Amino acid sequence: DLRRGGWRQRLAEPTPRPVAGQQRAGGGGRIMQGSGDVRKEMSGDARRDMGGGGGRFSGRESSSAPGRGPPLGGRRITGGAAAAAAAPPPVPKLTADELDKKLDLEVQEYLSVGKVDELKLSLDALKKRVEAGTEVGKLLLGKAVPKVLEARSDEPRTKVAKLFGVLTKLDLLKKGELPAFFDENLEFIEDDLCEVPKAGSIMANYIAQAIADGALQLAYIEKAFGHLAESEALPRAKMVGEVLTGLASRMSTDALSTMYAAASLNLSQAVGGPEAAVSMLEDSELNFLEPKLIESYRADMAATAERELAEARAAQLEAIGARVREAIAADESCTALVKWPQTTLATGPQL
């Protein structure tokens, strides 16, 4: 009733006037005489003296106060009704244009300040202001990734690389959205090399960070670079190697080995054959990931070399036999026959 009555501060009069009507004991006298700010004096003992707990009048007293009628038609708002009346209106949803501008501001501020915690708070609040099904995370990445592609330093790209894990933990990237995002950016990656020679390495670093943060599965790289099978500017083995190297720099050897084994990755298929796979592993110093593949490949190479040597020896013996038969038929001298292998056949331990 006090809050609803529009009370205002009154200055104390030098000489108190006689109190009209029945005067309440204790703190009630101060209210009726107006000695100072009523709201300030309505604390502590004064409120308790007035009864009703917390300074509220009883229904009878408030109804009989001079110049006052019962609030809201004689009914007092209490409990859930009061909470509903005081509840703030629902937050309006953002339109597509408003969301676009909001995401631009979020990206700009994050790249300037670089505080992940502040970005999390902003995005968490943003989730409540968009329609269900809006791809907020994918839209944000679509603005951040191209914005830093041509940056002179790696600092802004390092900030962007952290977004994959942040958006996944905030549930702003649904299952399948991140692989689809990388597929779109990798489709024409060769064209980006004209303007940004390091575009392949930048994208491989993003993929490695996303895998390390648990936002993307390692098995993704098995088929991600298949469209680069015939590429000379950006071989798929190079892309796979850079992703695995990026993971090795972020994880321990044991952790990476465990993740690699769990992924059941067909590395030969990913890079275009066992030879390319072994070569990539050796160049990247990642032999520990595929010891069986390397052992099998080396055994096959040794068997192939032995078979090729045997085939070459048989061909040489056949050529020598044919020449000897020809020399005998022509009744050539032995001296001429001995000189022929030395000048015709390839010299070696089998000669």
Side-chain angles (χ1 to χ4, degrees), residues 252-315:
S252 66
T253 300
D254 292 340
L256 180 55
S257 298
T258 302
M259 176 187 286
Y260 187 88
S264 299
L265 188 66
N266 188 337
L267 189 61
S268 297
Q269 180 179 342
V271 301
E275 182 178 359
V278 172
S279 177
M280 182 272 295
L281 290 171
E282 291 178 343
D283 292 343
S284 305
E285 298 182 356
L286 298 172
N287 297 25
F288 63 90
L289 293 178
E290 286 282 5
K292 292 183 178 179
L293 174 63
I294 295 175
E295 182 181 356
S296 175
Y297 172 75
R298 288 175 177 172
D300 290 343
M301 290 298 295
T304 299
E306 186 176 351
R307 184 176 63 254
E308 290 176 351
L309 180 61
E311 292 174 355
R313 182 173 182 273

Side-chain angles (χ1 to χ4, degrees), residues 156-167:
R157 287 189 284 269
T158 301
K159 293 178 182 177
V160 170
K162 297 177 181 178
L163 291 177
F164 306 114
V166 171
L167 294 173

